[in-house]
Amino acid sequence: MRNSYKNASSDFLDLSSEQRLDILFHLMQEKSKVSPMAKILDSTVQEVHRNFERLAKSGFIEKDIDGYYHLTIYGTTMCTQIPTMMFFSNNRKYFQEHDFGDLPVKFIERIGALSTGTYIKGFTKVIEQWKSIYKNANEYIYEMHSEVSNDLIEPLIKKAKNDNVKINYILSEDCIVPKGRKKTLEKFGFSSLLENGTVERKMSKQVLVVVALNEKEACVSFPNRKGESNIGYAFYGNDIRFHEWCLDYFRYSWHNSGTFRESKLKEE
């Protein structure tokens, strides 16, 4: 085991350079020689050559017969892990006050997929981002949360009714709903949307990780350290990997959720 630590610590040293990381991620896109890479990185040929040599010695990259460097399998695999470190490093303060709640390990292992996301701070800004996700939806809106905002009910139903966008949502059993919600649902003919299958809903014992997504963009919030869902802060992204993570998590949660029971909901 001590040998494993020694090898890993050596790898971390090799990766502890902004330029070496730059080189690796550029080589993920296409192979390169030293001089062109030096121009891309606005650096000297000598410095880039030195870092190429170090990465090659460590097994991250190798040179072909034409003099082009490319990632090895080892280098490619290590690069897939770096976004996880980047995500935590860039959001260190956030995770001093938040955690993953009941998020399954398989999703934590893929958390680097969220590294391209934008951090959104403030309840109002998060709600506006959700509205934008509703507005931009052409095929579906999937979401799961533990409290319902009056600001979201009307635009969500209108999107289903006017644009025939599929709505699937999961509410927590202890979900807090605003007063007058039932009247609002009746006003916009919500029951007919349930009957024709445009809207489907389920219920989970507890929703801690909150998500909202359409077919091309997504938003996710993690619970605070007290174990409470918190949509005052969120991460938004339209990158393929970010969206795929949120979509996979929603599908996992949908599969593991039960029948929706109106009687479980509590009014403010």
Side-chain angles (χ1 to χ4, degrees), residues 67-163:
Y68 285 90
Y69 286 87
H70 59 89
L71 293 181
T72 61
I73 293 297
Y74 178 62
T76 301
T77 305
M78 288 296 285
C79 281
T80 64
Q81 306 306 309
I82 292 173
T84 296
M85 292 186 286
M86 290 171 57
F87 180 67
F88 282 113
S89 179
N90 293 336
N91 299 287
R92 188 173 305 175
K93 187 175 180 180
Y94 175 84
F95 284 105
Q96 289 175 352
E97 301 171 353
H98 298 79
D99 61 30
F100 291 126
D102 56 357
L103 189 68
V105 172
K106 64 181 179 180
F107 289 101
I108 297 176
E109 291 172 345
R110 294 172 51 197
I111 206 71
L114 305 182
S115 63
T116 58
T118 302
Y119 178 53
I120 304 173
K121 182 179 180 180
F123 179 82
T124 301
K125 290 183 178 180
V126 174
I127 292 298
E128 288 304 311
Q129 187 63 68
W130 277 34
K131 287 182 180 178
S132 177
I133 288 174
Y134 293 175
K135 181 180 179 181
N136 296 335
N138 294 315
E139 300 174 18
Y140 65 78
I141 297 169
Y142 297 158
E143 59 181 6
M144 50 189 295
H145 42 107
S146 60
E147 62 179 286
V148 176
S149 169
N150 253 331
D151 293 335
L152 296 175
I153 295 176
E154 186 173 331
L156 184 65
I157 298 175
K158 282 185 175 180
K159 195 67 181 179
K161 191 171 184 178
N162 299 337
D163 297 340

Side-chain angles (χ1 to χ4, degrees), residues 179-232:
K179 289 182 179 179
R181 167 180 163 275
K182 286 186 178 180
K183 286 186 177 180
T184 302
L185 296 180
E186 290 173 3
K187 176 182 176 182
F188 291 101
F190 185 72
S191 59
S192 64
L193 296 173
L194 287 174
E195 289 171 5
N196 65 27
T198 302
V199 175
E200 291 186 64
R201 53 187 183 170
K202 286 191 172 187
M203 186 163 273
S204 177
K205 187 171 182 61
Q206 190 177 38
V207 171
L208 295 177
V209 179
V210 176
V211 298
L213 63 151
N214 59 30
E215 64 276 6
K216 50 186 175 289
E217 56 187 332
C219 202
V220 57
S221 298
F222 296 103
N224 61 31
R225 296 291 293 275
K226 296 178 181 178
E228 304 164 334
S229 63
N230 184 2
I231 61 170

